[in-house]
Amino acid sequence: MQPADIKNVKITDEFWSRKQALVKKEVIPYQWEILNDRIPEAEASYCMHNFKAAGLLNEKMRKKGDAFEAPRFTYRGFAVFPEKREDAKDDEFYGFVFQDSDLYKWIEAVGYSLMTNPDPVLEETADHAIDIVCAAQLPNGYLDTYYIINGMDKSFSDLRDHHELYCLGHLIEGAVAYYLATGKDKLLKAAERYADHVASLFGNGEGKINGYPGHEIAEMALFALYDLTGEERYKALAEYFIDERGKEPNYFEKEHPDMKGKPDYYHQAHMPVREQTEAVGHAVRAVYLYSGMADMARLTGDKSLLDACEKLFESIVDTKMYITGGIGATHLGESFSLPYDLPNDTAYSETCAAIGLVFFAERMLRIKADSKYADVMELALYNTVLSGMALDGKSFFYVNPLEVIPENCKKDERKTHVKPVRQKWFGCACCPPNIARLISSLGRYIFTEDDTTLYTHLYAGCETTKTVNGKNVSVSMQSGFPNTGNVRITVTGAAGSDFTLALRVPGWTGGRYSLNMTGASEKETKNGYIYLTGFEDEAAIEISFDMIPRLISADTRVAEDNFKAAVTRGPVVYCMEGVDNGENLRQIKIDKRGTITEEVSDEFGYDVVTLKASAKRIIPAKTDFKPFGGLYSEFTSVEEKEISLRLIPYYLWANRGENEMSVYINI
Amino acid sequence: MQPADIKNVKITDEFWSRKQALVKKEVIPYQWEILNDRIPEAEASYCMHNFKAAGLLNEKMRKKGDAFEAPRFTYRGFAVFPEKREDAKDDEFYGFVFQDSDLYKWIEAVGYSLMTNPDPVLEETADHAIDIVCAAQLPNGYLDTYYIINGMDKSFSDLRDHHELYCLGHLIEGAVAYYLATGKDKLLKAAERYADHVASLFGNGEGKINGYPGHEIAEMALFALYDLTGEERYKALAEYFIDERGKEPNYFEKEHPDMKGKPDYYHQAHMPVREQTEAVGHAVRAVYLYSGMADMARLTGDKSLLDACEKLFESIVDTKMYITGGIGATHLGESFSLPYDLPNDTAYSETCAAIGLVFFAERMLRIKADSKYADVMELALYNTVLSGMALDGKSFFYVNPLEVIPENCKKDERKTHVKPVRQKWFGCACCPPNIARLISSLGRYIFTEDDTTLYTHLYAGCETTKTVNGKNVSVSMQSGFPNTGNVRITVTGAAGSDFTLALRVPGWTGGRYSLNMTGASEKETKNGYIYLTGFEDEAAIEISFDMIPRLISADTRVAEDNFKAAVTRGPVVYCMEGVDNGENLRQIKIDKRGTITEEVSDEFGYDVVTLKASAKRIIPAKTDFKPFGGLYSEFTSVEEKEISLRLIPYYLWANRGENEMSVYINI
């Protein structure tokens, strides 16, 4: 099974097109300014500086003294190359060791965006950025400006903490996207050369490096490069990284002898990957690894690896995932915490980790169409991923808490990672470009396909075609998601073919949906998918999924959520905000037998379904008897005030200024 | 007003005598072993080693090459000087910079213990320890083994982080106690010489050090030395430290230029002390400072200082104190958090901080007999201080959480400071000896007195005398605390004198008490004290305070405690434990209109009042509908099971093995 060819999926969906347009209009241009250090109030990126500096040095090495003249042109009225930074020297590297990856992520987002929204000026800008990248590449294929500038003698000497293989991964992902979008292969060839160079150095032979990435991503990127090129050597290199990880003697311990004997959970290098059953360590790293493992399991049919993937997926979903699809409960190491430890107010739940969970789930779907994977993919996407970006596309959450009391976040040192409103941009700029590339590439998450079957995982309006038994089948989907559960799909040209359409029944429907169709018939329902076959030349399918609002409670072992419930509607998790309901949200108790009504609001710039629930605000009766100082009073009774509780989708929180927010409500 | 002369207060109380005996039997001998590195499984202390090494060097300096022969003798069958540690060199210092203070705290505990429990062998041991200390003192009076061993050139160069003045404070406190107990002044003279040396170096003149202690305690210790000796220069030095603190230019910033412009809340040096209104920073440091400030306010009548003390006391009691009398809500910097931020499961609530709060409250009582101070003193004492020590006196809590789920403490990195059971001893051994010295010196916290009036703050059985108008008045108190609120006091010999007995009415009574007496009469009730006068030669007073169990709720701004209440009875805060009630205590909901009944239990080795409350265990009904993976189910209803909830005093928790505990209960 493969994802549908992204170039062949045209998004027509109102909800998602709006997000994609926002990425194109706001995120991509803003990030370009950032990469070029043209936003005075933002932290300096130096990313383009580093490539330019590396190119200069590289050129000097090659031409023995000739100056490297970087191409100059303008984009949106700005010179692509800024005036030389006052503080930046031509031969110095600045920023994080993984600074290069910021440009690669930008190029990836640009690539996917160009597929849906062609833009010759943006494409030209990206072409020139690619020229700069390629000028920095060493003749042997090496491409990481940190070591090119600081000296190659230490290259690949710190796989654990430095990010050369991470940058390789993002380079490949950017190059693949840009090639798919434009057919231009300059960056793709550069990526292949870098991958070939790495492949020549790594392995178990004499004088080879038998390590693997400290921050995973190269694995899944190399499999994507293999999927595109069919070159076995990329698959082999990715497999090598996965097979070696966590083996004894531990490679990272060799690099860092001070860590000897301490299991390296953080980098998922505590044991061989096939033995791993619990999701641990840095959450983004973890799900990037698991995505690569799933790719390998799919391509090799390796049963033990597939077992590990399934166990790790279950470990996340059954014990370590917030109801928002967020993962990574603790800011300490941006990591998974222990099972059932899912604090709401000190949550980490990094946007990038939710994105990584989407990657992992999508890869599991390529192995098996089981709605349990699509449910999680959808949950992460509609909640934590979308929460990461403001409505105006100009500010972002890195951390996605499930409860916020703004004053506490600001003053309590244990919550300094939690921000009550989205921030402009970050020094470590992983989340905004990660959102940009995911939203721009949404077309690859809607379907997977095999020879005859188109599996529909996400209900987002789009058009695609598929060739079955030599017939060109056109599929057009209209979807009311997430406002309504109504989906209409038309299929034309499938008559006489084996074309099969598999429609996911989301877990949140509880199996409640209505299906009507003409020109096709229901064959079976399996693993959460309805299989339709027997298509006539024109077929119309209407399926309506039940989106009744529901009260959802967490497993009682999640101590933080005892006596609380969250409200969900379809795939969307709701929250309450102070601006609607008054502050001190912890005083609110939802009527557990009350009905929850829907209202369509245009307050957020487009139609959004908000909810009203009957609830009480409960305030302990004031007593003057304070036996132990001003803080403590004898409890006598509570004053209960009926209120109408307004709930909005979680992904929209903090778009109306700073205020309290909580997903969980007392029951 | 002064505390009653501790030598003149003989504790006869069963409850407290048991604790004092435990300190004498277990804590003091064990600590002596620790100080001498004779407990193989404990972290090395090196404390006696350091004194011996300093004495050796000192002796060498004086005698130009003669070896220093330390006195050898035995105590409890052990050589006082262990065989030379394999790893310890004669001329090296080991341990924390404040390691010396451990011995001083031990001597203080020994001193107070000797007053109530004479022990010639223990006294001889302490005498010899004092010989070692004095041998280490430099001819100019300087006495801190860290710098004597490592070189005096850097002495007093890092007042903020090193602890020379902290050690001075503990030296004085130990010396004063030992002198009061034994009349022996060798250590007292050493303390005075060190204080004189410090006084000669500090001040605002040319070439003087205009700094103050990084860890406060010297202030209150110097006032105690002044109280004992009447020497104005000790009072002046303490006043200097208090007056200089936080003034601009900031002394600690001069020492540590990297901190320039960052308000030093941690050391309470962010502003002059008279301007401080909010309790901030390291909680132990803070209350030690405030204790010194209260001493100064009492001795000087400084109104602005008294105002600051009152505001700081209110800041603690009204916004930052746990119901257990614990303070310091965050382990980050062992500090006060923001107002109303009082998390139960990540609480710091250090034992030493509660002890410091006892010090502060007691000093406020010397200024004014107001029961609000005694209420807090009593609360901290009966709950957090007592919680710090196991029933067998052999293990200790440094951190006193209000909720514990053992597995979480062990696995969640944010709770590594929280231990589910008491620990043997700590590398930083502040709490056990601090408990030891406080419990041993309980006699000084029961009463304060002025010329005619004996103010009774704590109800603990004891005997004391007071001379009024030339008449020797004998007072004998019997108390049922904390098991009953019944107190019987007999006063003899007061006829014809102005003797007045002030009896505190604890805040927790809500004014409910019964008073019967013969041979005396009630004059007035003021600030929570009943004043009795007109004593005949034999007077008997019986007062019975209402100890009905109560449900207490925290201010609604304490978000952690919304919808919860604690149970108290008299000054004792109760808690529920898993061993009595089954684990998953968060599922328990107390019947807010139910009655709470008392039971006397002998399970803890003596009679303890435990409580039974009607409650429900509430478990969400299991539903198979899990729309978002294994963790989340649709909420339908709850299963409620009636239970009888057993509550035990908080100070007894974790004496029956590791299990869940919670002070707050859902209501």
Side-chain angles (χ1 to χ4, degrees), chain A residues 480-500:
Chain A
F481 275 46
N483 281 4
T484 77
N486 303 331
V487 176
R488 185 185 158 83
I489 298 169
T490 57
V491 177
T492 54
S497 77
D498 296 327
F499 178 74
T500 303

Side-chain angles (χ1 to χ4, degrees), chain B residues 535-553:
Chain B
F535 280 85
E536 295 172 15
D537 212 47
E538 293 281 340
I541 299 120
E542 287 190 350
I543 187 160
S544 182
F545 299 108
D546 179 29
M547 278 198 181
I548 192 171
R550 295 179 193 274
L551 275 183
I552 303 293
S553 55

